[in-house]
């Protein structure tokens, strides 16, 4: 049996043969998990579908949490995937070569004050950051605030990459900088990658160089 | 043509047919990149192999950096992969469900003081962290220091997962906690994932619950 958000199930249409399929809309994550767990409990072999990596802002954790709350010992296997930050990074160049963080700007699951604390910590520690759920039609303040926080710690020329709807027909990749980020089209299907103090644009690609020690490395050769 | 570190090339033996293969040892990253770039410049189609995701502590960035230093416009495509933190997380449960950071404890490419700053920032901001290159035979102090930094911010019972040699015959997965981390076997092929204040062990799995707002989410349904 296959359980998932409609568009994600559509994207694996070529893999579906005679399996039973259960789809549901956005924001119905718990309902989908419940259906998957009930089916597994009844002896079915169930695939619960996420986009990207199921263990990064996906369904793996919720399924485990709900199974544990039920006191159930359901056998589960997480199939790791390419998380959105990594697909975005590959299209932009190589911005995640060294230490980085992924932070979701959605305050549905984490209080906004905690997200601000994390953005400030990551900005100050010169980590490259991948922002998930950066902006939606209703939610525009969060990306403005995140940009302000990074701008306070990094120059306006710091490279920023935006990859939207990666892998779909309307995939878009934009290379900009902190000072021009808010003018760009950014939506719920975008990942925004903000470089650190060493990130630069090389031949049209966003690259975080291999190390402060590149010179030393060359001398060692 | 295929260029890569010997053991990585061995791991794709089933994909190699009549391609020319160039391998070299560890720490010879620049040399391998040079060989790949020279071959590409001569018109060859070259695959430069990394383990995990080539854009996360892999070869993608170095290749771009070296091509740019040469003033070359070599067409490159990064094929995104499953980074080590995601494979490790999938085996452990679902520890990366929300905001997290990846930090390498190797001070070959980043000064140790910067790594300490990052560890302190990430520990204080309650981010889950995946530690890459946590310990080697020669380098044991770094994991001790990282553990001390996280222990200052989080209880000793905070779940810690260690996944070693993921995907190979001697794969090992250990679930422990901050107070017992240093007693475990950890090496260069290990990824160490330290939970945040909400991460817990559920039915033998390390899970970072979906959100502080789980209750609210349930009420919305």
């Amino acid at each position: 049996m296959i359980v998932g958000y409609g568009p994600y199930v559509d994207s694996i249409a070529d893999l579906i043969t005679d399996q039973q399929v259960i789809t549901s809309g956005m924001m119905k994550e718990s309902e989908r998990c419940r259906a998957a767990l009930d089916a597994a409990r009844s002896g079915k072999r169930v695939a619960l579908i996420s986009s990207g990596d199921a263990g990064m802002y996906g369904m793996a954790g919720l399924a485990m949490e709900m199974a544990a709350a039920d006191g159930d010992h359901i056998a589960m296997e997480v199939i790791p995937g390419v998380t959105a930050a990594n697909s975005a990074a590959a299209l932009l160049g190589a911005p995640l070569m060294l230490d980085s963080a992924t932070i979701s700007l959605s305050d549905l699951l984490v209080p906004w004050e905690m997200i601000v604390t994390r953005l400030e910590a990551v900005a100050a520690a010169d980590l490259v950051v991948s922002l998930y759920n950066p902006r939606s039609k209703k939610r525009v303040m969060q990306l403005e605030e995140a940009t302000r926080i990074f701008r306070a710690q990094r120059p306006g020329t710091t490279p920023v990459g935006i990859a939207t709807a990666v892998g779909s027909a309307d995939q878009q990749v934009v290379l900009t900088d902190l000072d021009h980020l808010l003018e760009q089209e950014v939506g719920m299907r975008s990942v925004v990658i903000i470089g650190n103090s060493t990130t630069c644009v090389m031949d049209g690609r966003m690259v975080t160089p291999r190390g402060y020690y590149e010179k030393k490395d060359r001398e060692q050769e």
Side-chain angles (χ1 to χ4, degrees), chain A residues 126 150-160 177-179 196-197:
Chain A
D126 203 30
F150 278 84
R151 186 64 188 80
Q153 299 282 349
R154 301 181 192 178
T157 53
T158 302
V160 175
D177 62 26
L178 265 182
D179 274 351
N196 73 3
S197 64

Side-chain angles (χ1 to χ4, degrees), chain A residues 137-153:
Chain A
K137 276 174 194 151
K138 285 191 208 161
R139 210 163 41 72
V140 297
M141 170 280 288
Q142 285 80 353
L143 185 62
E144 289 170 10
E145 182 67 6
T147 303
R148 195 194 59 69
I149 289 168
F150 278 84
R151 186 64 188 80
Q153 299 282 349

Side-chain angles (χ1 to χ4, degrees), chain A residues 34 37-38 41 65-72 74:
Chain A
R34 174 66 52 216
L37 292 173
D38 287 349
R41 205 175 283 114
E65 215 179 328
M66 289 174 68
D70 293 345
D72 258 5
I74 295 178

Side-chain angles (χ1 to χ4, degrees), chain A residues 25 27 36 62-63 82 90-91 94 118 150 174 179 197 210 214 220:
Chain A
M27 313 290 285
L62 184 59
V82 177
L91 289 171
R118 288 175 177 170
F150 278 84
V174 173
D179 274 351
S197 64
R210 188 156 166 261
E214 183 57 24
Q220 282 177 338

